[in-house]
Amino acid sequence: MIKIKKNKNQNINKKEGFMQGVLTIMFSQILIKLLGLIYTLYLTNRQGYGDTGNGISAGAYQIYALLLTISSIGLPSAISKLVSERTAIGDHKGAHRIFKIAFATFALVGLIGSLLLFFGAHIIANNWLLIPESEMTLVALSPAIFFVTVASVMRGYFNGRQKLSIGAKSQTLEQVFKTLLTIIIVEIVAILSNVSTQWMAAGANLATTTATFLGFSYLFLYYKTERKEIASEIKNTVNYKYESVVKVIRKILFVSIPITLTAIMSSINKNVDSFTVVRNLKNFLPEDQAISLYGILGGKVDTLTTLPLAINVAFATALVPAISAAKARKDNKAIAEKTSFSLLVSMLIGLPCTVGLVVFSQPILNLLYPNASSGALILQITSLATIFIILDQTINGTLQGYGKLMLPTVSMGIGVIVKFILNITLIPNPNIGIYGACIGSVACHLVAFLIAFTSLKRNIKFKLPFSKFVIKPIIASGIMGICSYFTYVILKGIIIERMATIIAIFVAISIYILAVIVLKIFSKEEFLALPAGDKIIKILEKLKIY
């Protein structure tokens, strides 16, 4: 058995590294989501595209996402977990060998996924989705599976080496190109095709493929510049133990398959809508109206309700290598502290976002989609799932890092079954229709969260007082919602609605931050764990708040 010496300085550095990594990914994901919102706004408001274009693109994109999940989603977390466990005990040679074997293996898997989507596009579009117009969007997306797969392996390696910013930068760069190329290519296609919605949707997805290639290129070039540092780490390796290629692949699959299955469940959750919404709505609505309603759900609403996830995904990403490394060092205190702090922050992110989307559903749609602002009730109902998705995201990262890999899969799988049953039961009812899919999504994520949280409590001993975790965040979010709504109502009678909405949102953010501070939801120790936390505490002490 390998014995690992610990010291206080090492633990402090790890904690600072964890929070720095969280903030890096957080800012990156916020930028990515904002850029994604920009091109979604452009497409939705673009004449000839709108909700119908989103409906064509969304169905194809969910099929692409499913194949992408199978080939790559589990890889970054799995490889970062295995690499961090090796580097935590000084085995840099073993960590790099895991990376090399994973790269070669999953490049082949990604290639197969691309070929399946390319040659199966006609059958998927016509027989599965029942949206023939989506065939070319599937063809345009097919090469992206290969590039995303190999890029995922590289991001996992850098994350495991505690270089979380590299993966974050590559994803940001990819989204920048995706936004620019989407607008450029769609405009060119619109001119060449005489504003064909079908071909514009294909052009938008071609931009996605090109952007994934550029994101991979950045990672590959960075890896080449790091080869000297990696070689030096390998030279100073300790505790190296040779493992055959087959054994390494088996280890990667042992970790990645459960993580991938969890992601597949999430993708299937979206595909439940792809297969049930249009199919059932067509029984009592015209086909174009059914596709348009699905476009609202899969386009505007999905974009807005998943926007808060960009802020929280940082914890899910950073927790896997951090918890894995702490477990390798047998540091149970660090595991408990990271778990409780991450869950608290996730609650403080998710709850106000949920309240904000419910209260300002129509004003937000009017602000962002002036030419296609319908769908407020769809947004309100679906946004109730946001808080559960965010908390579940953090819990899954903790469980995966701790080695309980199948628990997130089981919890999400049960949630998907609940959603499928509700979808096929509620959507065919003309009095419920599209809202049945919204109710199914909320139920799915509530069930998944309850199961995952119960499993987490059984495996990791952490403290999370009910007052601090639930009561105070609800009070802070309630104060925020009431004050910001009255601000909006008052301003709406004085200035234009869009400006009133923007000001009310800024008021909401300001009031919420003040409420969190006044209610003392964070302890002094938790503030000190944040970058510049000591400066924040000094200011609060001068104000006699702490």
Side-chain angles (χ1 to χ4, degrees), residues 392-414:
D392 201 34
Q393 197 177 48
T394 301
I395 293 169
N396 288 350
T398 306
L399 289 171
Q400 288 162 357
Y402 196 72
K404 302 297 179 180
L405 302 169
M406 283 303 297
L407 289 176
T409 306
V410 172
S411 63
M412 193 63 201
I414 294 172

Side-chain angles (χ1 to χ4, degrees), residues 2 15 132 177 236 262 300 303 308 321 343 370 406 502 507 517:
I2 300 167
K15 181 177 286 188
F177 279 112
N236 296 320
T262 304
K300 293 182 295 193
T303 298
L343 280 172
M406 283 303 297
I502 293 170
V507 168
I517 292 171

Side-chain angles (χ1 to χ4, degrees), residues 35-317:
L35 288 169
L37 184 60
I38 289 172
Y39 75 75
T40 302
L41 291 174
Y42 158 74
L43 291 174
T44 305
N45 291 300
R46 211 279 179 205
Q47 185 179 3
Y49 200 95
D51 289 331
T52 301
N54 282 333
I56 294 170
S57 181
Y61 192 86
Q62 293 308 326
I63 296 295
Y64 156 75
L66 181 59
L67 285 176
L68 184 62
T69 297
I70 295 170
S71 63
S72 68
I73 294 298
L75 287 180
S77 294
I79 293 171
S80 69
K81 173 178 169 59
L82 295 172
V83 168
S84 64
E85 288 172 350
R86 293 288 90 203
T87 55
I89 59 174
D91 183 9
H92 299 286
K93 184 176 180 179
H96 189 254
R97 193 161 186 273
I98 288 170
F99 163 67
K100 290 194 297 181
I101 293 171
F103 189 90
T105 303
F106 290 97
L108 178 61
V109 173
L111 179 60
I112 293 170
S114 289
L115 293 174
L116 285 172
L117 188 59
F118 182 86
F119 290 108
H122 180 76
I123 294 173
I124 293 170
N126 288 276
N127 298 344
W128 294 12
L129 297 176
L130 300 182
I131 307 175
E133 297 89 346
S134 66
E135 180 176 348
M136 289 310 299
T137 63
L138 290 165
V139 171
L141 278 170
S142 58
I145 293 178
F146 172 77
F147 295 120
V148 174
T149 301
V150 289
S152 295
V153 174
M154 302 192 81
R155 276 199 300 271
Y157 178 59
F158 291 128
N159 288 351
R161 295 178 67 230
Q162 302 299 320
K163 295 195 173 184
L164 300 169
S165 64
I166 305 307
K169 287 176 182 177
S170 73
Q171 289 179 304
T172 304
L173 182 68
E174 180 181 318
Q175 191 73 338
V176 168
F177 279 112
K178 183 177 178 180
T179 303
L180 293 174
L181 290 172
T182 296
I183 296 171
I184 293 169
I185 293 175
V186 168
E187 286 300 320
I188 293 172
V189 171
I191 294 170
L192 295 176
S193 67
N194 194 25
V195 195
S196 165
T197 304
Q198 176 182 347
W199 285 100
M200 288 164 69
N205 287 336
L206 178 62
T208 299
T209 294
T210 308
T212 58
F213 167 72
L214 294 170
F216 161 70
S217 298
Y218 170 81
L219 289 169
F220 184 75
L221 291 173
Y222 180 83
Y223 174 75
K224 289 185 72 174
T225 64
E226 286 284 291
R227 283 192 296 186
K228 285 187 179 179
E229 181 181 331
I230 293 169
S232 176
E233 289 177 351
I234 292 172
K235 187 178 179 181
N236 296 320
T237 286
V238 294
N239 302 318
Y240 174 67
K241 182 181 179 182
Y242 173 81
E243 291 178 331
S244 67
V245 172
V246 173
K247 188 173 182 180
V248 171
I249 293 174
R250 193 184 299 130
K251 270 190 171 183
I252 294 170
L253 291 176
F254 179 78
V255 177
S256 67
I257 286 175
I259 296 175
T260 299
L261 286 174
T262 304
I264 287 174
M265 289 299 111
S266 298
S267 184
I268 289 174
N269 182 34
K270 297 294 183 184
N271 277 283
V272 167
D273 288 337
S274 298
F275 297 141
T276 60
V277 173
V278 174
R279 189 183 302 267
N280 285 288
L281 289 178
K282 282 165 65 175
N283 293 331
F284 55 89
L285 290 175
E287 183 175 353
D288 59 341
Q289 191 175 345
I291 293 175
S292 181
L293 283 171
Y294 175 61
I296 292 172
L297 181 66
K300 293 182 295 193
V301 170
D302 190 55
T303 298
L304 291 171
T305 54
T306 58
L307 191 60
L309 305 186
I311 306 172
N312 187 72
V313 73
F315 285 99
T317 303

